[in-house]
Amino acid sequence: MDPRICLNYLPGCFATPVIAQTMIQPLDTTLLSAAKSRTDAYHSVVSTSPVLYLTHPSTQPLRRPLTLTLPCPPNPQKNHGGRHEESRKDQTQKDKSASQGRTLASSVKSQGISEELLVVMGWRDKQWSLLDQVAVRNLQKGLVTFDLMEIFDRLLVLRLHSPLQPSDLSSLAEELEESVRSHAVTLVLQRRPEEPDAVLVAALPSRDLSWELSKLRAQGYAGLPEASSQLSMCEGDQLVLRFGGNVAAAGDQSHQRLTFHAQLHSRVLLRLTHVDPYGNYSSPHYKGTASFYKVTRERADREQLDRPVCKLSLTLPKRPRAVRRQNAARVKSCDEPDSLPDSLLLRLSADLSEEEVARLVPSLRLCRSAAQLVKLRAGESPSAQAFHVLAMWRRGLTAASRRPKTSQAGPLSGQDGQAGPGRGAAAASARSLQTGGTTTSRPGIQESAGWEARRLWCLVLATRWQN
């Protein structure tokens, strides 16, 4: 509290002892300059005193005058005029000119102060009013004093060049009081390099923006901040965040609210996530926007929002995704024991004659050199030759040839596309084996082998029927 401010309660002001509370709200000169720039009627206002808030018991009136002393500086241009008048004196008569300059400055200052008007504004019953019955006196060093016989909730002293209408004075007092509660704020989005998916949303005072950004850099935030234009915020106002585009807040932060406090840090740290992982495919970042809606303290309970006061762009770096590729199809080797075991080949080759082996070679689509190689390895034994023929055919099988297809019935047909006498029997045997039926000559084949064994047995039957 300014020590120059004084409230003098004379003895017997109240009938009984009471507790009086006071609060001082300074008014910066920039607030008055801004008001004068907006309204021409305020140009005659020279300066203002701080707003004095008083709290007294309303049931007890003042019995004796209450004397108040408040600072209300005079017109600074008058002081400049006195100093300029002093500097224009002749330098050759420095001492005399200096003395005359001080005298002239004092006279100009006194004349300027005497020409200015001092008025007191009081707040009561939810409105400002002019206290035209109160006489305000000038004191030294820009202090003014006056006496009150009534209790007011707020008091304000105005220094004027010329008289103003009471309505203009009341409007000026309301505007100055509203300007005190309103602060110029800049919204800033900042990140730490080690946390690319987190963003700090801060409401910083515009007049100290550079200083506040330097403090954020000292805390580890780097990069060019995303900043908004100046916003007017009052104490307790809220900013509601809404996200758009391909960026959103993670978890339950999608409806985050930022409450503004002039004397506290108004900031919140948000975790970001993407909406569509395949969006913005041509960019290394997910892109979105953060919209800010202003909600005043009186309308904090309302859910309906007006237009956003500002929009800031958001980016979220993409992380490399691990591409999961399906495993290649497993190729089952023909040499595996569950496809065509050697026991089955030996059982078939034991029952084949030499002529049947000779007819079996073209049916299995083996080349002539393969047949010659079989004779060299197996000798003259028909069963040995048959086993080597079947083993060579088994090694030549592929995964595609082991699939049951209708086209694989080609070897069962007769030559030149004509149906031989054994075609019907071979097809019947194949159908019987595929449907779980039995055959009279080889009942154990369908129990020990797969479809390769069925196909091979059909080829053997076809070879015998051709004979």
Side-chain angles (χ1 to χ4, degrees):
M1 181 174 176
D2 193 339
R4 299 176 297 173
I5 298 176
C6 179
L7 282 77
N8 186 13
Y9 290 90
L10 297 177
C13 282
F14 296 98
T16 59
V18 297
I19 297 177
Q21 296 179 352
T22 61
M23 187 179 66
I24 303 299
Q25 176 61 64
L27 295 179
D28 195 272
T29 56
T30 57
L31 300 179
L32 179 59
S33 300
K36 292 167 67 175
S37 64
R38 290 191 295 266
T39 306
D40 295 337
Y42 302 154
H43 278 261
S44 61
V45 180
V46 177
S47 61
T48 64
S49 69
V51 180
L52 176 63
Y53 292 82
L54 289 174
T55 302
H56 289 114
S58 59
T59 58
Q60 296 192 26
L62 287 173
R63 301 176 61 184
R64 298 189 64 181
L66 169 62
T67 304
L68 296 96
T69 302
L70 296 175
C72 186
N75 190 357
Q77 296 181 359
K78 299 295 182 179
N79 297 334
H80 293 320
R83 286 194 293 269
H84 293 327
E85 187 69 22
E86 178 184 353
S87 63
R88 285 196 296 266
K89 299 300 178 180
D90 189 8
Q91 295 296 327
T92 58
Q93 300 176 355
K94 183 176 181 181
D95 297 337
K96 184 178 179 179
S97 300
S99 177
Q100 294 176 354
R102 284 192 295 270
T103 303
L104 182 58
S106 177
S107 62
V108 171
K109 180 177 180 181
S110 301
Q111 183 181 1
I113 293 177
S114 62
E115 292 177 353
E116 295 172 347
L117 301 176
L118 291 171
V119 296
V120 181
M121 304 294 297
W123 172 273
R124 190 166 55 183
D125 299 332
K126 298 183 179 180
Q127 64 179 357
W128 286 98
S129 59
L130 175 63
L131 309 182
D132 51 0
Q133 301 298 327
V134 177
V136 186
R137 301 178 299 273
N138 276 302
L139 298 180
Q140 296 180 355
K141 298 181 180 179
L143 297 178
V144 296
T145 181
F146 55 94
D147 298 331
L148 284 180
M149 285 301 297
E150 299 180 72
I151 295 177
F152 291 89
D153 298 331
R154 305 169 196 173
L155 293 171
L156 175 64
V157 179
L158 300 176
R159 190 182 293 272
L160 309 175
H161 276 307
S162 59
L164 285 179
Q165 295 294 330
S167 59
D168 294 336
L169 294 175
S170 300
S171 300
L172 175 60
E174 292 178 359
E175 189 170 342
L176 290 176
E177 193 176 24
E178 183 66 25
S179 300
V180 170
R181 294 196 297 263
S182 180
H183 301 268
V185 175
T186 301
L187 295 177
V188 173
L189 303 182
Q190 264 294 30
R191 279 193 176 96
R192 284 193 175 101
E194 62 272 14
E195 293 179 332
D197 58 342
V199 61
L200 178 70
V201 183
L204 305 178
S206 300
R207 63 180 182 180
D208 301 329
L209 183 59
S210 301
W211 172 252
E212 294 292 340
L213 290 178
S214 63
K215 291 197 297 185
L216 289 180
R217 285 191 291 268
Q219 297 175 10
Y221 292 94
L224 186 63
E226 186 74 20
S228 69
S229 57
Q230 288 189 7
L231 304 176
S232 179
M233 299 289 294
C234 297
E235 187 73 19
D237 288 351
Q238 294 182 354
L239 289 172
V240 181
L241 276 71
R242 293 289 186 269
F243 295 91
N246 203 22
V247 177
D252 56 351
Q253 297 178 321
S254 57
H255 300 284
Q256 186 68 40
R257 288 176 176 255
L258 178 64
T259 304
F260 174 75
H261 297 287
Q263 304 300 328
L264 300 176
H265 291 299
S266 302
R267 58 185 64 176
V268 61
L269 185 64
L270 299 177
R271 298 287 176 179
L272 302 180
T273 184
H274 56 267
V275 178
D276 181 10
Y278 302 101
N280 308 117
Y281 61 92
S282 61
S283 174
H285 300 83
Y286 298 113
K287 298 179 180 180
T289 57
S291 301
F292 295 86
Y293 298 83
K294 180 180 175 180
V295 179
T296 59
R297 183 170 50 184
E298 294 78 11
R299 302 173 56 189
D301 298 335
R302 296 181 58 181
E303 298 182 358
Q304 185 177 1
L305 301 176
D306 297 331
R307 293 183 179 180
V309 292
C310 72
K311 289 184 179 182
L312 299 178
S313 61
L314 279 175
T315 58
L316 180 62
K318 293 182 179 179
R319 293 183 178 180
R321 298 191 305 268
V323 180
R324 296 183 179 180
R325 301 183 181 276
Q326 295 182 356
N327 296 330
R330 181 173 177 265
V331 179
K332 192 174 181 180
S333 174
C334 295
D335 296 334
E336 294 183 3
D338 59 344
S339 59
L340 288 176
D342 291 343
S343 60
L344 176 61
L345 299 183
L346 289 173
R347 186 186 306 176
L348 291 175
S349 60
D351 296 340
L352 294 177
S353 62
E354 185 175 359
E355 292 79 4
E356 292 174 344
V357 172
R359 288 193 297 269
L360 186 61
V361 170
S363 299
L364 297 179
R365 297 182 181 181
L366 297 179
C367 58
R368 184 179 301 177
S369 59
Q372 295 176 357
L373 182 61
V374 166
K375 291 183 179 181
L376 291 177
R377 291 181 177 179
E380 299 297 332
S381 175
S383 60
Q385 291 180 4
F387 177 78
H388 280 78
V389 168
L390 295 177
M392 187 175 296
W393 169 77
R394 183 181 63 181
R395 287 194 298 269
L397 285 177
T398 61
S401 64
R402 290 188 288 113
R403 294 180 180 177
K405 296 180 181 180
T406 56
S407 60
Q408 292 176 349
L412 301 179
S413 59
Q415 295 179 356
D416 298 334
Q418 299 179 0
R423 180 177 181 181
S429 300
R431 288 193 300 269
S432 177
L433 288 174
Q434 290 175 359
T435 57
T438 58
T439 58
T440 56
S441 58
R442 292 293 183 267
I445 290 181
Q446 69 272 18
E447 300 175 359
S448 60
W451 68 269
E452 293 93 345
R454 297 188 184 97
R455 180 171 180 268
L456 180 61
W457 178 236
C458 291
L459 292 175
V460 173
L461 289 179
T463 302
R464 289 187 174 182
W465 277 98
Q466 290 176 2
N467 192 18

